[in-house]
Amino acid sequence: MSSKEIVKLLRANTGERDMHSVFSDFCSMSAAALRNRFDPRGHQAREEAYEQTRERYSEAQWGRFAEALALVAIELATEPRDVLGEVYMQLEIASRDQGQFFTPYSVCQLMAAMQVPNAAEQLKTLPFLTVYEPACGAGAMVIAVAQELASQGIDCATQLHVTADDLSLTAVHMSYIQLSLLEIPAVVNHRNSLTLEHFDAWSTAAHALGGWSAKLAARSEELRSA
């Protein structure tokens, strides 16, 4: 199996809507479905937006969206990487004029290996590691860092927290889907990291269920008191 199967399903859903819209709708509905499983804040608004989007598609098309999300989950479990970034590029809907070009995952892996070469040493004096990605795209760099840490024996569910920003809502949804399915504690902000204009924050289930808001607040207080 590969991302090509996901691409095939999404392409089959074009017709009245172009490929870019189909992909954006797939990501928005998938992200909302994942978030609404555990987050009551804004639940009704997301549910209504989900239903409005779903109404644009037939039952057969909606079924293909569900199958595509299942395949994304399988791909991430089988070989953790930037699956949605691959899909996005294979669909040939990237707008290079707007900088929407996702870095190849192999490059992200190389960069991750250079950025966190001695994580275990750092954790001798820190309760956990934090990563900030100001332009996360589909989350490739974050995924690569998490995989590098895992290869060093780090438990990313308890020893890593990610904060990621992106101005593109579709990118936020892509990153949120993948970090959620990989069970990485993260907050993905729909935000302009340059102007700090903030629109929404998407917390993964691993963040919420792991009590990371309290952990981060306690750590911030420790740093202020130091």
Side-chain angles (χ1 to χ4, degrees):
M1 189 187 302
S2 71
S3 55
K4 291 181 180 178
E5 292 299 317
I6 302 166
V7 169
K8 183 178 178 181
L9 287 165
L10 295 178
R11 280 183 172 155
N13 273 4
T14 56
E16 294 183 1
R17 299 183 65 75
D18 61 51
M19 191 69 258
H20 191 280
S21 297
V22 167
F23 183 76
S24 294
D25 289 343
F26 165 68
C27 291
S28 69
M29 288 195 297
S30 298
L34 290 169
R35 185 174 177 180
N36 276 2
R37 290 166 55 190
F38 71 92
D39 190 352
R41 297 168 300 177
H43 184 284
Q44 187 59 36
R46 286 192 300 274
E47 193 68 21
E48 290 174 0
Y50 176 98
E51 290 300 328
Q52 289 174 0
T53 303
R54 180 175 173 174
E55 288 174 1
R56 300 170 186 158
Y57 299 92
S58 67
E59 284 300 312
Q61 289 175 314
W62 184 83
R64 284 192 284 269
F65 278 144
E67 186 178 352
L69 179 58
L71 291 180
V72 171
I74 292 170
E75 283 293 299
L76 287 169
T78 304
E79 184 185 347
R81 63 192 195 282
D82 182 13
V83 175
L84 288 178
E86 289 178 14
V87 170
Y88 187 86
M89 298 308 293
Q90 288 175 37
L91 290 172
E92 299 179 337
I93 54 176
S95 174
R96 299 193 184 191
D97 290 338
Q98 297 177 16
Q100 293 174 323
F101 180 86
F102 295 137
T103 304
Y105 190 64
S106 58
V107 175
C108 292
Q109 288 177 300
L110 178 62
M111 293 170 65
M114 293 188 293
Q115 287 182 12
V116 287
N118 59 343
E121 242 353 86
Q122 295 181 51
L123 284 169
K124 289 180 179 179
T125 57
L126 296 173
F128 51 82
L129 301 175
T130 58
V131 170
Y132 173 58
E133 177 56 76
C136 62
M141 195 65 232
V142 173
I143 296 169
V145 167
Q147 290 306 300
E148 174 61 27
L149 292 175
S151 74
Q152 296 179 34
I154 306 302
D155 179 8
C156 292
T158 60
Q159 297 177 294
L160 172 68
H161 188 272
V162 172
T163 301
D165 296 351
D166 209 285
L167 182 58
S168 163
L169 183 56
T170 297
V172 168
H173 291 155
M174 293 168 74
S175 190
Y176 180 78
I177 291 165
Q178 298 198 119
L179 299 186
S180 293
L181 293 174
L182 289 167
E183 299 182 352
I184 295 173
V187 176
V188 185
N189 295 298
H190 183 204
R191 175 165 67 181
N192 186 325
S193 59
L194 296 178
T195 67
L196 300 183
E197 185 178 9
H198 190 276
F199 307 100
D200 197 6
W202 291 69
S203 302
T204 64
H207 168 92
L209 301 178
W212 278 95
S213 291
K215 292 178 184 178
L216 292 168
R219 180 58 180 161
S220 180
E221 184 60 33
E222 287 177 9
L223 293 174
R224 282 198 297 268
S225 302

